[in-house]
Amino acid sequence: MTFSTILKASTAVTLIAWAGFATAAEVTLAAGEKLAADQTFTYRTLDQITTMDPGMAEDNESGIIIRDLFEGLYNQDGDGNVVPGVALSHTVSEDGLTYTFTLRPEAVWSNGDPVVAADFVYGWRRAASPELASPYSWYISLMGVENADAVIAGEMPTDALGIKAIDDHTLEVRITAPKPYFPQMVTMYTTFPVNQKAVEANPDSWLDPANFVGNGAYVLTENVPAERTVRERNPLYWDNANTVIEKVTSLVINDENQALTRYLAGELDKTEVPTGQYPRLLEEYPTQAVSFPLLCSYYYNVNLTETGNPALQDVRVRQALSLAIDRDIVVNNVLAGGQVPAYSLTHWATAGFEVPTIEAAGMTQADRNAKAVELMTEAGFGPGGEPLTVDILYNTSDAHKTLAVAISQMWKQTLGVETTLANQEWQTFLDARGAQNYQLARAGWCGDYNEASTFLDIMSTASGYNDSKYSNPEYDALLEQAKTAADPAPLYEQAEQILAADLPLIPVYHYASVFMLNDSIRDWPVGNVQQNTYTKDIYKVEAE
Amino acid sequence: MLSFILRRLAVAIPTMLILIVISFVLMFAAPGGPFNNDRPLPPEVLANIEARYGLDQPYIVQMTTYVWKVVTQFDFGPSFKYRDQTVNDIIRSGFPVTLVYGFWSFVVAVTVGVSLGVLAALKQNTWIDYLAVGVTVGAQVLPNFVMAPILVLVFTLWLGWLPGGGWNGGQWQYLVMPVIALSTSYMASIARIMRSSMLETLNAGFIRTARAKGLPMRRILWRHAMKPASLPMISYLGPAFVYMITGSVIIDVYFSTGGIGQYFVNSALSRDYSVIMGITILVGALTIGFNLLVDILYAWIDPKIRL
């Protein structure tokens, strides 16, 4: 079932979703292929994972491990579509505010207990509770669960949260406003069930391999901080018969070049490709170097408050700067990893999102440059006008620096604009950017869920992530309207057009996942733009 | 001797306290905080987190609570970034790793360094001397962040002899490259210190007397020259040993050993306050301890030194 059908379904009278859905993804081998004897999967992670607690997690690397160890109501398939997890199906009330999930009776925890609706209730309440103080408790409020804000703020007890176990296998969730993409949102780890017995038996160490209780396809067998995490197949998992990979190991390797060397030495099955090395690796290892869209956008925030550069308050200057960035050079020569030039904030591959026809995107770079010069002259800067100097702030990283240097060269050559580059260590940078202590600041945003509002919301007046301090009532109204619209796609396109005209941020490129992947691995979810991977869905075939 | 040790321990306590206070002040003076993120947290969420970790208290209260817990329960608190771990967990899993590769690096550095230094001094101005000096100068200028990737390239990718990183419980294959990379520059320093102090000692009057009495060179070296010539090296070894066993950022990062060395930088960058403090206290205490040990060794080797 596609995303848009879910969308329509939600406004209809109570109905059962996914009636005819295939329940289990089975391994289908191509002709002449057979499963490899060695079904282990070893990959690199940049840093020690911050937590394996679904209620506490806040980053993607933790998410990868948590999706192996736990299972939520719904999973995602290789293309990011919602497929049954612990829940088989759901119904939505007429007003779109009450979701009733039917849970699969055969699901059990790794200690043998059945997975029941109360486990979800406990998990959600726990994630929202002030006692746990999870940095991702806001996700429960983002989902619009009834009373979430009051529970997080400690004004209401956790049992006031809009989630209820009707019986062992029926779960009811009440939300405050209809959310067509709600089923998508329950694939997020924050909504996973947690085993109350296990947590209460060892409150501080329930995630140690010895005490661990999960309901995922794998159980935790070894965890050496800053070195490795090992998960092994969970024989009690309901779909164990279709799980192929026996053992998953993540190795912490900080240095990406070192990781690449170890990949080439055969120690890893997957690692990231360092910036700029993709073309070379693709030539040398055509079956192993892979690149596909990743739901993140890279842009420069423009400080629109009085602490910013006065010249940048002029929309013509912002337009000129944006036009003068040769994004083809950025993606083909600087990054060279399959990234895509960006003229919109929302990633081009976002589900249900049509990239609007933005004028600048359709021009040649020569035309863009000509128009940029024209706009700059009009604004009184550039050749013959006032000299202009702008500051770019970025967090210390070679990749950001290379890009900023390239862009500053483009601005100098085309517009005669001088650029001062300043790098700051991450925490200092966040402080400066959050306090509007910058002129132009590098930023990146990754979608929390696969829907355009996850990007567009950040530029709304009320958003805490709006570092440009952009405020446009028309834009805010469009987003507000989109929340309840049967088909929000045209509204999102309009919103993007407003951003393209106002340019409170200068989009640069849309991310791609670029990595080396052992070519005996099959079914890697290349179509899942959030890279929400499930190890249970991949397998290895015998090398030819 | 005992009163000396007691005196030194008495000084160590205020030293540690000053260290803690300075670290606390610097830590809170740095912009940002452990819960700053690309996505600023909603205020009520941040308030919950700060309450949980006691960050809503005044600094002085935070500091005294912290010191009290460290002193009375040896509890360094939870890590702010690695939510499943306490600082004690991190030290417990990371310190043994650096202790092992640091200890072996120390053994290698001292054995090779002393041998090279003594040999160079004995064969002063011969090709052996020049070779030894050449090797040590080379080893000292080759930074370990250059050496580490080269080692991996050669031993892992080209020869396929050793794993490119990891720890795996500390099997010897995983130790070889970290030990080489860490010990090299220390080895070079030790060799140079040993060479010059040995030269000085060999030219001293009492050695000339020993030679005049017709003692064999081996006996002169072991009985008479070695002890006094070692003194400058020993004062170097105290802090060097602490640096080695508390690990190196470079070694941990390049060889992915999971050691404690990487936290020096990581915890500061992520403002993981409790980890910063835990590591600072650990290194501070070890430094004070080993300096004391060096002083005692001094007195034992050279009775002229009064403690």
Side-chain angles (χ1 to χ4, degrees), chain B residues 164-229:
Chain B
W167 187 244
N168 223 359
Q171 292 166 13
W172 70 268
Q173 300 94 318
Y174 292 83
L175 265 168
V176 177
M177 289 194 286
V179 167
I180 295 176
L182 183 60
S183 61
T184 306
S185 71
Y186 290 104
M187 180 272 287
S189 301
I190 292 171
R192 286 155 62 81
I193 294 169
M194 201 61 207
R195 178 180 176 274
S196 59
S197 67
M198 185 53 92
L199 279 177
E200 207 176 300
T201 314
L202 289 178
N203 290 327
F206 70 97
I207 298 289
R208 206 177 319 131
T209 311
R211 284 187 160 185
K213 286 200 294 188
L215 285 179
M217 198 55 208
R218 178 173 302 172
R219 199 173 153 86
I220 295 177
L221 193 64
W222 287 113
R223 266 306 276 271
H224 302 285
M226 212 52 190
K227 261 193 185 177

Side-chain angles (χ1 to χ4, degrees), chain B residues 234-258:
Chain B
I234 284 171
S235 54
Y236 169 80
L237 288 184
F241 185 67
V242 176
Y243 292 142
M244 284 197 234
I245 61 167
T246 50
S248 142
V249 181
I250 305 285
I251 303 298
D252 284 340
V253 165
Y254 280 98
F255 295 110
S256 314
T257 51

Side-chain angles (χ1 to χ4, degrees), chain A residues 158-179:
Chain A
T158 53
D159 52 19
L161 198 66
I163 179 167
K164 193 165 82 184
I166 305 287
D167 61 44
D168 273 0
H169 298 109
T170 314
L171 179 73
E172 185 190 276
V173 178
R174 289 183 311 281
I175 56 178
T176 50
K179 273 210 166 42

